[in-house]
Amino acid sequence: MKITRVRTLLSTAPQRDLYMPSRQRRSAAFILIETDTELTGLGETYAGYFVPEMVPGVVEFYEPILVGQSPLEVDLLCRRMFTAGKFWARVGLGSIVLSGIESALLDLKGKALGVPVYELLGGRCHDSLPCYATGGTSPHDRGELEGKVAQYLSLGFHSVKLGAGSYRPGHPVVGSRTAVEARDVEVAKVEFLRQRFGDSFQLNLDAHMDNLGEADHVWSLATAQFVLKALEAYPIGFFEEALPYTDMRAYAELRRSTSIPVAGGECLTSLEEWRDWLEHQPFALAQLDASFMGGITNFIKIARLCELQGVNIATHAWSATPGAAANLHAAFASRNTAICEMAAYNPSRPELNTHIVAPLLTDLWVEPPVIENGRVRLADTPGLGVRLPEGFLERHPFEPGSGEFNSVKGKLLQP
C-alpha cells in the first residue's frame, strides 16, 4: 500500500448552542490521506479552527514527502516532515498542521491493521475515564447560568467547566478592573452554583487569559493569586489558564501559592515548548492537545514526562470530531490521564442534545464514545473511529474568514 495523495478539506458548519450564544458557526481543517487501495486516513489540525485558509499551503509543503511511501512507516515519515521544516515549523503553525497529518497517518495505519489507534500507542490503560463538559463563558444572567449547568449535567456529565467573568453581549467577557472585583465575580458565581446544585458536580474554572480581546482585562500574577486564594474555600476541581502563556515562571509561582490545581498548556505547540515549560513545573494538571502539539506521538511523550514529575494530564479538546478522537485515543493510552475535556453534548445519545446544533462535533463518528455517570468509554473501532459522511462538505462548504481570533481594533470577531 502506497500513499497517492494528501489533501486538505475545509468545512464551515453551524455551531449553535443555546448556552453559548457568542458564536453561530465554526470551521475545521481535515487532512485526508489517499492510497492505492480503498483505505484512506482522516485527521484534523486545530489550526483549522483559527486560520483555516493557511492550512492547505502547509499541507502542500509536506505532501511530496508522503506520496509514494508506505503509510505504515508513521515514525519515519513524521521525522522526515519535521526535518524538512525544522527551521520554521519546530513550533507554531507548522507543528500544529503536522498534528493533523500524523493523525491521518495513524488513522490509516489503524484501519490497515484492524486496530484502534490507542493500540498503536502502546495499548489501552483505562476502561473508562472521567470527563467534563466544557461550557465556555459564564452567562451574566443567573437563570441562564443555572440552566446551562443543569443541561450539561442532564447529558451524563458529573463535571463542568465554566469561564471566568461573565458573558453579556456588548461587554468584555472579563470586565473586572481590580483584583477585588475579579474575586467577587468568581466567588459569587461559585456560591450561587453550590446553593443551587450542592456538591452534585465538580466545578472547574477557566479564565482564558491567553485568548482575550483588547477590551478584556488580563489578570496579573497578583490578581490570579488573589482570586485563587479566595476560591480555596470551595471544592474547585482545577483552575485553567489564570495567566497568559507569556511567563512560565509566573505560572510556577501561581501553582506554588495555591492549593487549587493550576491547569494549563493548551497553547503549547510542540515537544520542545512543553519540555521547556515542564522544567519549571508550572502546572498541577497539564492540558495536552493532540491536534495542536505536533501530533499524538508528542502527546504520549509529554504525558510520560509529566508522569515522571508526578503530574496528571487532561485533554484539551475543542476541535471537531477527528481532533477530539485523537485526544481520546492518546488519553486512553496514557497512564496518568485524570480527566478528558468533552464538548457539551452526548455523542451516543442524540436525543439528549436538544440544546445544540453542531455537525462538526456530532456527525463524524463511526461509533461514538459513550458518556455515562460522568465517565467516557471509547469504542474499539479501527483507526480513530471517524469519517466524513457522503455529501458532508457539500452541505457545509467552507466560508472564508470564519476562523476565530481575539478581537482588536481593526479586526473584530463577528458571531
Side-chain angles (χ1 to χ4, degrees), residues 13 15 19 53 68 154 186 210 279 314 401:
Q15 174 102 359
Y19 299 104
E53 293 91 343
S154 75
E186 301 315 317
D210 214 47
E279 285 185 5

Side-chain angles (χ1 to χ4, degrees), residues 8-31:
T8 305
L9 306 176
L10 302 180
S11 179
T12 305
Q15 174 102 359
R16 293 190 290 271
D17 184 332
L18 180 63
Y19 299 104
M20 286 191 196
S22 59
R23 300 220 63 194
Q24 299 297 310
R25 63 177 182 175
R26 70 178 293 162
S27 289
F30 305 118
I31 314 297

